[in-house]
């Protein structure tokens, strides 16, 4: 059985651990060194179910529930006119990758967004991160921008692709 729920303070260490598991690949984040739980505290507090949710994805294991991933909505820009636009971030534990959890998360994102007035979803993805680009493409996100060579990862210039999807507006 799988479950998503809103993250709580006790989940922050697992969230950071999953995030840190992606750094060495140089495919997912522009952080070059692991981050600490303390350094993510203010980021964590910026999330709330009513405005910018942060979910954890759990599965049942013999030893109880285990967090295998997380997804968040973050501000695109902190200006009122952009309140309906969010950046979607999805991070999965190494053992959970390639098992459909990314699709699970994007379905959740698309169904939840209208409930909090979000009409536009964005993804920021490195150009060499083929699995993530395929995932967002599967959900009909379109490439809205390509920022060539914007990141330097181990001496290699990497492009940042911004994908976006405008959700159908709610009927009045």
């Amino acid at each position: 059985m799988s479950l998503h729920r809103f993250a709580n303070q006790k989940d922050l260490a697992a969230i950071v651990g999953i995030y840190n598991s992606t750094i060495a690949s140089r495919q997912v984040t522009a952080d070059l060194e692991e981050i600490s739980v303390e350094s993510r505290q203010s980021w964590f507090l910026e999330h709330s179910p009513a405005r910018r949710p942060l979910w954890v994805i759990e599965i049942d294991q013999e030893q109880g529930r285990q967090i295998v991933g997380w997804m968040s909505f973050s501000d695109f820009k902190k200006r009122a006119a952009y309140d309906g636009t969010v950046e979607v971030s999805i991070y999965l534990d190494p053992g959970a990758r390639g098992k459909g959890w990314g699709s699970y998360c994007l379905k959740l994102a698309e169904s939840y967004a209208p409930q909090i007035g979000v009409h536009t979803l964005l993804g920021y993805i490195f150009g060499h991160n083929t699995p993530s680009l395929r995932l967002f493409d599967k959900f009909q996100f379109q490439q809205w921008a390509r920022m060539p060579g914007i990141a330097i990862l181990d001496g290699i210039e990497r492009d940042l692709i911004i994908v976006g999807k405008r959700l159908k507006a709610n009927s009045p």
Side-chain angles (χ1 to χ4, degrees):
M1 167 134 190
S2 63
L3 171 73
H4 64 268
R5 62 174 173 76
F6 297 115
N8 62 55
Q9 185 66 46
K10 294 180 201 169
D11 300 323
L12 187 53
I15 290 166
V16 168
I18 290 169
Y19 181 86
N20 282 338
S21 77
T22 69
I23 293 172
S25 74
R26 301 296 196 251
Q27 276 195 286
V28 181
T29 178
D31 277 315
L32 302 175
E33 296 180 13
E34 289 190 0
I35 62 168
S36 68
V37 172
E38 296 77 26
S39 73
R40 291 302 271 191
Q41 186 61 43
S42 62
W43 167 87
F44 180 83
L45 294 173
E46 291 173 2
H47 292 86
S48 71
R51 185 164 163 10
R52 298 295 182 252
L54 170 61
W55 293 271
V56 292
I57 310 303
E58 296 180 315
I59 60 171
D60 286 327
Q61 300 281 41
E62 287 182 20
Q63 63 273 30
R65 289 200 169 274
Q66 176 188 354
I67 295 173
V68 296
W70 59 270
M71 178 177 67
S72 67
F73 284 1
S74 298
D75 287 335
F76 164 63
K77 292 279 186 188
K78 292 185 190 247
R79 295 188 180 104
Y82 295 121
D83 280 352
T85 301
V86 297
E87 176 189 355
V88 178
S89 297
I90 300 170
Y91 287 84
L92 300 171
D93 183 84
R97 296 175 195 154
K99 296 186 175 165
W101 292 113
S103 292
Y104 180 91
C105 287
L106 281 180
K107 286 176 192 171
L108 172 60
E110 289 186 7
S111 67
Y112 193 82
Q115 297 174 49
I116 58 170
V118 169
H119 54 72
T120 304
L121 302 176
L122 300 175
Y124 295 10
I125 306 169
F126 284 132
H128 63 290
N129 185 345
T130 305
S132 290
L133 289 170
R134 281 190 192 133
L135 171 65
F136 281 78
D137 184 61
K138 175 180 164 184
F139 282 80
Q140 287 83 47
F141 280 71
Q142 298 174 334
Q143 182 176 318
W144 287 358
R146 177 179 212 97
M147 303 173 91
I150 196 168
I152 309 292
L153 300 172
D154 297 330
I156 301 169
E157 291 186 359
R158 297 295 190 174
D159 298 350
L160 179 67
I161 309 296
I162 300 175
V163 296
K165 183 174 184 179
R166 176 84 173 167
L167 303 174
K168 292 181 178 147
N170 288 339
S171 301

